[in-house]
Amino acid sequence: MIDIAAHEGYPGHHVFNALIEKHLVKERGWLEYSIYNLYSPVSLLAEGSANYGIEVAFPWDERLTFEQEVLFPLAGLNPCAEQYYEIQRILHQLSYADNLIAQQWMDDEIDDEQAIKLLIKYALNSEERAEQRLSFIKHNRAYVMTYNYGQDLVKAYLAEQVKDDSNDALWRAFTALLATPKTASMMVSASSS
């Protein structure tokens, strides 16, 4: 619930698009930002910030407490949130296998059958899920990397911008990033300098 609400709504896509409209379209008159071309460089920031925004909105300790004490019991689940998130952390690391497999498939280095086998072996997908993932890759191509790589890029960039543990400072830096989008190369050079 938290992931979907934060990714799609606040502080995710809804806020990103509202800030783009306010700061870039209305204030600066950059009409090219009034259209969101899904398969464009801005998607790396849009998906990455929507994914990382979950952590901004719900810091780890607060989220874990809320889910263990409220959401998991409401859903009738045994409050095993820590174990669940440890698995999710590992799966996030494995999601980079999707990027490599997608690249190999797009470069015609592997065929559908090989891609499915690799998605099963290295991304721990069932056969049905691997087939669905390949279908997503076929339809969306390089867009598949915007979620994981974008999230890690936004996180690294903001870690460089915010030098203290203040959630207020993180919110300010996060909002500034959404209001003034940067390219991937700008974020990489800022976080590596």
Side-chain angles (χ1 to χ4, degrees):
M1 292 292 293
I2 290 172
D3 285 4
I4 292 171
H7 181 95
E8 300 299 340
Y10 181 82
H13 293 314
H14 177 72
V15 172
F16 179 76
N17 290 325
L19 289 171
I20 293 292
E21 181 179 11
K22 176 184 178 191
H23 294 289
L24 302 183
V25 177
K26 291 184 176 174
E27 289 177 5
R28 295 185 184 177
W30 294 356
L31 295 180
E32 63 270 25
Y33 280 95
S34 65
I35 298 171
Y36 183 150
N37 183 356
L38 187 64
Y39 302 111
S40 71
V42 76
S43 288
L44 186 66
L45 177 58
E47 294 299 350
S49 64
N51 274 352
Y52 184 63
I54 299 164
E55 292 181 46
V56 175
F58 248 106
W60 171 246
D61 291 338
E62 291 176 32
R63 179 177 181 162
L64 189 60
T65 299
F66 179 71
E67 290 189 342
Q68 284 180 312
E69 293 177 4
V70 178
L71 289 185
F72 278 47
L74 280 173
L77 299 173
N78 188 8
C80 55
E82 286 186 60
Q83 181 182 18
Y84 172 77
Y85 284 111
E86 179 61 19
I87 293 167
Q88 292 304 310
R89 186 188 63 73
I90 293 166
L91 288 174
H92 175 71
Q93 292 172 336
L94 291 176
S95 73
Y96 277 92
D98 286 20
N99 297 5
L100 179 59
I101 294 164
Q103 179 185 0
Q104 290 174 335
W105 181 85
M106 285 183 276
D107 290 344
D108 291 323
E109 295 172 11
I110 59 174
D111 62 18
D112 290 9
E113 185 179 329
Q114 291 168 307
I116 290 169
K117 285 181 181 176
L118 291 170
L119 287 165
I120 292 169
K121 182 175 182 177
Y122 293 108
L124 303 181
N125 289 299
S126 66
E127 185 170 350
E128 180 181 6
R129 177 73 178 116
E131 290 169 356
Q132 290 171 340
R133 190 66 183 150
L134 181 58
S135 177
F136 184 81
I137 290 167
K138 286 179 176 184
H139 181 74
N140 293 289
R141 316 234 355 125
Y143 187 81
V144 300
M145 68 173 278
T146 63
Y147 297 95
N148 56 12
Y149 179 65
Q151 177 181 351
D152 292 345
L153 190 61
V154 168
K155 184 175 185 172
Y157 174 80
L158 291 173
E160 188 60 35
Q161 304 303 306
V162 179
K163 297 299 183 188
D164 60 37
D165 289 338
S166 162
N167 203 32
D168 289 340
L170 179 58
W171 270 107
R172 284 191 299 277
F174 185 74
T175 303
L177 176 62
L178 296 184
T180 319
K182 299 184 177 350
T183 63
S185 59
M186 291 167 73
M187 286 192 287
V188 168
S189 64
S191 63
S192 63
S193 58

